Amino acid sequence: YRFIVKYVFHYLKRSQHLKRSVAIFGAGMAGITTKKVLDNDPNSRVEVEFFIDDNKNKIKKQIESKSILSFETFAGRAKKLNISELIIASYGLSAKRKNEIVDFCLSNKIKVTTIPPYHKWIDGSFNFTQVKGIQIEDLLERAQIKIDNQKIGEEISNKTMG
């Protein structure tokens, strides 16, 4: 019996160390939903440490016993906080603000991911596998431009540059 208890204790302790520390940018409904999804998915292997938000009315409050920090506070303590990933869970961010956040995270070796828009949630629900790395289109806030290489090739074929 003691062996089983000891084994379970060590297994649980070891599994806690395998979790990555993440922060969620956005203390609104999308951020809260993201935290719940991560907490309830046994495959997520992440521990949400705190939320970050630009809304001054939310700063220094808590959601599900997790503090809400300003981005400035987070930026000042980034090294000490040891966050490996920042999940952007806010739909109201401008492209300029997203770029500022991503630039800071990249310069501090923090991975940046984002949640899908509401309309892309599978069957009306959101799961951990839908959290993806940030794409250039997310920062540009426009669709990808597709170039028809064949058509361009036809137009410049047999022409000289001068």
Side-chain angles (χ1 to χ4, degrees):
Y1 176 76
R2 288 176 53 196
F3 175 74
I4 293 172
V5 171
K6 187 175 180 180
Y7 175 77
V8 170
F9 175 76
H10 284 292
Y11 174 78
L12 292 174
K13 188 175 179 183
R14 187 174 51 121
S15 67
Q16 281 297 105
H17 291 292
L18 297 175
K19 289 188 173 190
R20 293 173 296 147
S21 295
V22 303
I24 297 175
F25 190 100
M29 286 306 298
I32 294 167
T33 301
T34 301
K35 181 185 180 307
K36 287 181 180 180
V37 165
L38 296 173
D39 287 348
N40 293 327
D41 188 335
N43 298 319
S44 72
R45 294 263 189 248
V46 299
E47 178 67 33
V48 176
E49 300 294 337
F50 52 86
F51 290 89
I52 302 169
D53 206 283
D54 286 334
N55 183 337
K56 290 178 179 29
N57 296 325
K58 294 179 181 180
I59 307 303
K60 296 184 180 176
K61 294 185 179 174
Q62 291 193 336
I63 298 174
E64 294 189 12
S65 73
K66 301 296 180 181
S67 297
I68 304 172
L69 306 177
S70 68
F71 188 77
E72 291 72 25
T73 300
F74 166 66
R77 293 195 233 154
K79 299 275 189 233
K80 285 184 192 174
L81 295 172
N82 200 27
I83 296 298
S84 63
E85 182 177 340
L86 178 70
I87 301 171
I88 297 178
S90 177
Y91 297 117
L93 290 177
S94 68
K96 180 182 177 191
R97 185 65 174 138
K98 276 185 194 174
N99 280 315
E100 292 169 356
I101 294 165
V102 170
D103 285 346
F104 173 81
C105 289
L106 290 177
S107 67
N108 285 278
K109 297 182 174 86
I110 299 170
K111 180 180 175 183
V112 181
T113 55
T114 187
I115 64 170
Y118 288 123
H119 70 276
K120 290 189 178 179
W121 290 8
I122 298 171
D123 301 324
S125 64
F126 169 46
N127 63 55
F128 171 70
T129 60
Q130 290 176 286
V131 176
K132 301 287 182 199
I134 196 143
Q135 302 294 315
I136 190 71
E137 292 84 8
D138 297 328
L139 301 175
L140 296 175
E141 289 193 332
R142 65 168 171 79
Q144 180 180 4
I145 297 172
K146 298 194 189 288
I147 298 173
D148 187 349
N149 288 331
Q150 184 176 357
K151 186 175 180 180
I152 293 171
E154 291 170 4
E155 288 182 20
I156 62 171
S157 176
N158 297 324
K159 297 195 176 164
T160 58
M161 303 287 269

